[in-house]
Amino acid sequence: MEDNGLPSRTSILTAAARAFGSREPDASVRNPDWVADRLISLAELALIAEHPISKALDQDFQKAIYDPDIFGFAWLMLVRTRFIDELMERAVRNGATQLVILGAGFDTRAHRFSELLKDAMVIELDYGATQEYKKRRVEAALGGAPANVVYAPIDFARESLGEVLHRTGFQPGRKTYYICEGLSMYVAEEGMKETLRAIAAGSAPGSALLLEYLNRGALELLRKYPTGMIKNAIDWGEPFVFGVPDGQDREFFLQAGLELGETLKIGSPESVKRYAMCQDGSYYGAHLEKVFEQRREAALKAMDDAGRQQTAEAAVTSGYWLAELSIPDLGKRAPQEDVSR
């Protein structure tokens, strides 16, 4: 990401998928990120030419959704975007006055929720090259960011989150909502642990973190049998490297000082019921059900016995999650530590 001066291509890929999903005619399953469609131009699509979503924005929508690689990724972004939007909106309405977006990429919430966030401080953190690219696109396509947005470059593997936040004017005593979407799997475990500990140590009681993450078993399976955007990410130098130990989610987060709260397993019946039901009562994706089943069967057939066993175990013990982690309110908690020291 940094070495070649290019932005994170996976951040462009996910934004393109949100942009595509925002064109869905059925409002009940439409991705709410209409701003992404303005940010993603032909120049950005050229950077992700290896993935079919790069062609989807120039195709007839009803034709493009029959491509399982396009639809599957757009479906994922639909669930992810709507869940995170809902919990962020709830947090702000319940008193959060700072929004910190970790690995912001082409996140558009500062624009889409400008009225809701008008009295909040919005801090976007990301690798320098990605952030500079995003700022140029925001200026060109949207005329600039809202006045309450602060951009700050960070290398999560090498820099202290507390130190970087301190330079932005972040106030540890204010109730804060953190969003960590599309980041954790790209950061080595120790860097991710340090980030979680910094949030727990440097945030006011009542603050919370929305974290997207994989379990380790799912991560290992994806790395062993990479397909689709996972393979693209590897080819682009953005491999998945971190997963929470299977079955130890709650304990893992508690060790960092965070309490596991509301969760959503992506692809679960609950995620379908909440975010992927069409106006006519059918589930979003029914048109490709047989195609996806054939793909699953072909993938299992191509594996050896160990791979099939690993897949079966991962289906039970692992997952791909969206989770809200809270900062414990310990009542007589000591004054907030400035974690930049």
Side-chain angles (χ1 to χ4, degrees):
M1 273 180 279
E2 292 288 278
D3 293 342
N4 58 16
L6 290 174
S8 161
R9 284 191 270 187
T10 56
S11 72
I12 294 174
L13 185 67
T14 54
R18 298 195 306 271
F20 176 78
S22 73
R23 299 179 179 183
E24 167 60 54
D26 186 342
S28 59
V29 287
R30 182 183 303 145
N31 192 300
D33 194 357
W34 57 272
V35 179
D37 206 5
R38 296 173 61 181
L39 283 181
I40 300 301
S41 70
L42 291 176
E44 287 71 61
L45 295 176
L47 291 172
I48 58 169
E50 295 87 347
H51 193 283
I53 201 77
S54 64
K55 311 296 190 299
L57 292 174
D58 196 36
Q59 295 178 13
D60 176 77
F61 183 87
Q62 295 300 337
K63 178 180 179 181
I65 61 171
Y66 278 86
D67 183 321
D69 291 312
I70 294 172
F71 179 82
F73 200 46
W75 189 99
L76 168 64
M77 291 301 108
L78 167 68
V79 173
R80 197 168 93 172
T81 304
R82 291 183 64 182
F83 181 82
I84 296 175
D85 280 0
E86 284 183 9
L87 270 65
M88 181 214 70
E89 186 171 4
R90 181 177 70 189
V92 174
R93 295 193 187 285
N94 287 339
T97 58
Q98 293 179 130
L99 176 65
V100 177
I101 306 175
L102 309 169
F106 281 68
D107 189 286
T108 67
R109 291 183 174 91
H111 301 269
R112 292 190 289 117
F113 290 94
S114 59
E115 181 62 25
L116 175 71
L117 296 170
K118 64 182 180 181
D119 297 320
M121 182 181 190
V122 180
I123 302 172
E124 293 197 8
L125 306 176
D126 210 338
Y127 293 98
T130 300
Q131 190 169 81
E132 287 303 313
Y133 192 103
K134 190 260 187 85
K135 287 163 64 176
R136 291 194 296 270
R137 281 302 302 144
V138 166
E139 186 64 35
L142 306 175
N148 59 330
V149 174
V150 177
Y151 294 109
I154 186 173
D155 184 334
F156 291 96
R158 298 182 177 89
E159 294 184 89
S160 162
L161 174 63
E163 291 178 359
V164 173
L165 285 177
H166 181 72
R167 294 196 295 268
T168 69
F170 174 82
Q171 298 181 37
R174 291 170 59 181
K175 189 174 179 181
T176 303
Y177 201 69
Y178 299 84
I179 295 175
C180 185
E181 175 186 11
L183 174 69
S184 72
M185 57 282 290
Y186 299 105
V187 179
E189 183 165 339
E190 191 52 41
M192 202 60 222
K193 285 181 176 178
E194 284 296 325
T195 297
L196 295 176
R197 286 193 288 260
I199 290 172
S203 304
S207 297
L209 162 69
L210 191 294
L211 178 69
E212 175 200 16
Y213 71 94
L214 287 165
N215 284 120
R216 191 170 293 167
L219 170 72
E220 292 173 354
L221 198 61
L222 290 172
R223 294 174 67 177
K224 187 175 181 180
Y225 302 103
T227 60
M229 74 81 56
I230 305 300
K231 185 177 185 306
N232 292 139
I234 294 171
D235 293 341
W236 294 334
E238 302 178 45
F240 285 14
V241 296
F242 169 72
V244 173
D246 292 8
Q248 300 176 41
D249 308 49
R250 190 172 299 278
E251 294 78 6
F252 180 87
F253 296 127
L254 277 175
Q255 288 175 4
L258 297 166
E259 293 181 349
L260 184 63
E262 183 175 351
T263 62
L264 182 72
K265 187 174 185 178
I266 297 179
S268 67
E270 181 188 359
S271 69
V272 174
K273 182 179 179 181
R274 287 177 67 171
Y275 304 113
M277 296 302 296
C278 301
Q279 287 179 342
D280 64 6
S282 64
Y283 74 88
Y284 198 43
H287 65 291
L288 287 173
E289 182 177 8
K290 291 183 179 179
V291 174
F292 285 127
E293 182 59 33
Q294 290 169 354
R295 283 193 167 196
R296 282 190 289 268
E297 292 175 355
L300 287 170
K301 188 175 181 180
M303 296 177 184
D304 56 19
D305 289 342
R308 284 188 283 272
Q309 179 64 28
Q310 185 179 5
T311 300
E313 292 174 355
V316 175
T317 62
S318 288
Y320 174 24
W321 299 91
L322 296 169
E324 190 171 66
L325 308 171
S326 63
I327 311 299
D329 188 347
L330 303 180
K332 296 181 179 180
R333 184 171 172 174
Q336 293 301 299
E337 173 188 1
D338 184 346
V339 296
S340 66
R341 292 178 302 196

